[in-house]
Amino acid sequence: MDFADSDTDLAFRHEVGGWLDKALADVPDQEELTQDEREHWSRVWQDRLCAGNWAGLSWPTAHGGRGMDALAQAVFNEEAAVRGAPYPLNGVGMMLAGPTIIAHGTDAQQARHLPGILRGDEYWCQGFSEPGSGSDLASLTTAATRVDGGWRINGAKIWTSNAHNASRCLLLARTDAAAPKHEGITYFLAPMDGFTVRSLVMINGDTEFNEMFLDDVFVADDDVLGGVGNGWTVALTTLAFERGSMALNLWVWARQAVDRLIDVAVERGVADDSAFVDAVGALQCDAEAVRIGSMRMLGESRAGGVPGPETSALKSLWARVVQNANRLAVQLDEAGGVLVDGDGAAARMRRYLRARAHTIEGGTEEVQKSILAERVLRLPRSR
């Protein structure tokens, strides 16, 4: 496989880089901001992406996008991550809701929602995980009961990013309790009216995740996406878009974690320590493996393939690199007796605490290993 950019891809990468350098000129370092400040700049960044026609790169031109492929979106995400750009506040809308509606929505649904996403007027969240149905998504119990003109929905969702800013939710609910668990699910484009949203305080003090409670929330028939009972198929489409959009981001985030670790070692005067050099060398190799694996996955997608269990290996490896790099950085701070604000130690501690979630969010480490065991090694099912 050729890992180098084609001439066309390289020209696009230069175009992206030129625009990003100008658009990010006044954006502060996100690592030094409070959560409220980061959220403010995420909203500002979202507005700039929409105004610059970067919000729908891989959307068809017929729907207001630029008609480029998934690799172009991945390249843009990579270049933005390298420069420390804020995460766009409507990332779920651009990367997940829009493409899923394009793939499964009616003409009326596309006309109703896609322009608002591209303008930055309609913000979305993803209501999949539940308190008892996270990794085993198909076991969800949020129930939708048919009523005149639509559905009454009751249940709870958890770990929902950006729910406190969203006006719409990609919502999965069970519409047929008697059907096999994968067949009784329906996918709704639910307005957030009637949702009760509560922030979840994480170990690092941030509240980026939420829990949502639905008590007799009404959703109209017009907001069923893909047909009643077809929710699992539509959800798999959303999850595929999620994997593709994040592919090149993972290796950038892994590389940034390793580079920050090296900076700390230089500050502490231990960069030449043999044990440290060995540890960093192993982390650098793993980060490079994430990059190569991401490129391979994107190449297969570009050729018409579907991402397979290798995505689980990439996610698992990325999480391990970021967690270990942040752990070593904090250990170096502790060895130097410095855990105070002002020299970056407090920010490193926050990153270390936040990284603990990487082996939980997006599919737990246990689930990723089960996928590899069952689909690659052909071992018996563990659950």
Side-chain angles (χ1 to χ4, degrees):
M1 178 177 177
D2 184 3
F3 294 106
D5 287 332
S6 67
D7 291 343
T8 300
D9 293 336
L10 186 60
F12 178 69
R13 189 180 291 276
H14 288 159
E15 177 192 354
V16 168
W19 183 83
L20 286 170
D21 289 339
K22 295 177 181 178
L24 290 167
D26 65 337
V27 177
D29 183 356
Q30 300 297 292
E31 295 288 342
E32 303 301 324
L33 302 181
T34 66
Q35 181 179 334
D36 287 343
E37 290 170 335
R38 291 196 303 272
E39 196 166 284
H40 162 75
W41 282 104
S42 290
R43 190 180 295 276
V44 170
W45 187 238
Q46 181 68 56
D47 291 342
R48 292 181 184 181
L49 293 176
C50 292
N53 196 26
W54 298 99
L57 281 179
S58 59
W59 293 23
T61 55
H63 296 297
R66 292 177 59 172
M68 307 184 81
D69 61 15
L71 181 58
Q73 184 67 68
V75 166
F76 184 91
N77 293 350
E78 178 187 22
E79 292 296 316
V82 165
R83 290 164 171 79
Y87 188 79
L89 196 60
N90 198 27
V92 172
M94 294 190 305
M95 306 295 184
L96 306 183
T100 303
I101 293 170
I102 289 170
H104 294 281
T106 64
D107 291 344
Q109 288 172 331
Q110 292 169 356
R112 186 161 64 247
H113 297 297
L114 298 181
I117 295 174
L118 289 181
R119 289 194 307 267
D121 297 338
E122 192 171 84
Y123 280 53
W124 290 74
C125 64
Q126 183 181 1
F128 282 21
S129 296
E130 297 184 4
S133 304
S135 300
D136 184 13
L137 181 58
S139 66
L140 63 88
T141 59
T142 293
T145 303
R146 184 177 285 282
V147 296
D148 186 28
W151 304 81
R152 288 287 176 188
I153 303 181
N154 290 275
K157 299 291 180 176
I158 199 166
W159 309 123
T160 309
S161 301
N162 205 38
H164 55 296
N165 291 307
S167 58
R168 288 267 172 178
C169 178
L170 302 174
L171 180 69
L172 293 181
R174 190 164 300 283
T175 49
D176 186 351
K181 66 179 184 178
H182 292 87
E183 298 176 13
I185 297 171
T186 298
Y187 196 119
F188 296 93
L189 306 175
M192 293 288 288
D193 302 330
F195 282 54
T196 299
V197 178
R198 297 176 187 168
S199 297
L200 295 169
V201 181
M202 299 170 62
I203 192 172
N204 67 345
D206 285 350
T207 55
E208 62 188 85
F209 295 112
N210 302 272
E211 53 185 346
M212 304 189 301
F213 300 93
L214 295 83
D215 297 306
D216 275 342
V217 171
F218 177 78
V219 180
D221 284 325
D222 289 344
D223 288 322
V224 171
L225 183 66
V228 175
N230 295 324
W232 186 251
T233 298
V234 182
L236 291 179
T237 299
T238 300
L239 295 173
F241 284 127
E242 185 174 29
R243 288 193 297 266
S245 67
M246 298 301 292
L248 290 183
N249 292 49
L250 295 183
W251 93 264
V252 173
W253 293 334
R255 183 71 232 188
Q256 287 173 333
V258 175
D259 288 344
R260 284 193 296 262
L261 170 62
I262 294 172
D263 290 341
V264 176
V266 171
E267 291 174 10
R268 301 288 182 252
V270 297
D272 294 327
D273 179 84
S274 60
F276 174 79
V277 170
D278 287 346
V280 169
L283 290 171
Q284 287 177 323
C285 290
D286 285 344
E288 180 65 7
V290 174
R291 184 187 73 86
I292 292 173
S294 298
M295 293 296 296
R296 175 187 174 190
M297 186 180 75
L298 286 169
E300 290 177 348
S301 297
R302 201 175 208 181
V306 177
E310 67 273 10
T311 59
S312 292
L314 286 178
K315 195 269 184 179
S316 180
L317 183 58
W318 161 76
R320 187 165 70 244
V321 172
V322 176
Q323 287 182 346
N324 287 339
N326 282 295
R327 175 179 54 80
L328 286 173
V330 169
Q331 288 176 334
L332 290 178
D333 283 333
E334 292 173 338
V338 180
L339 274 178
V340 296
D341 290 329
D343 73 339
R348 287 190 283 274
M349 178 58 77
R350 287 194 298 271
R351 281 195 293 267
Y352 163 73
L353 293 173
R354 177 62 181 84
R356 303 312 303 162
H358 294 338
T359 44
I360 301 172
E361 60 193 347
T364 65
E365 182 72 359
E366 291 78 10
V367 167
Q368 307 301 339
K369 289 180 177 179
S370 292
I371 291 172
L372 294 172
E374 294 164 12
R375 297 178 59 186
V376 177
L377 301 179
R378 304 298 182 186
L379 297 176
R381 288 180 63 87
S382 60
R383 61 195 187 283

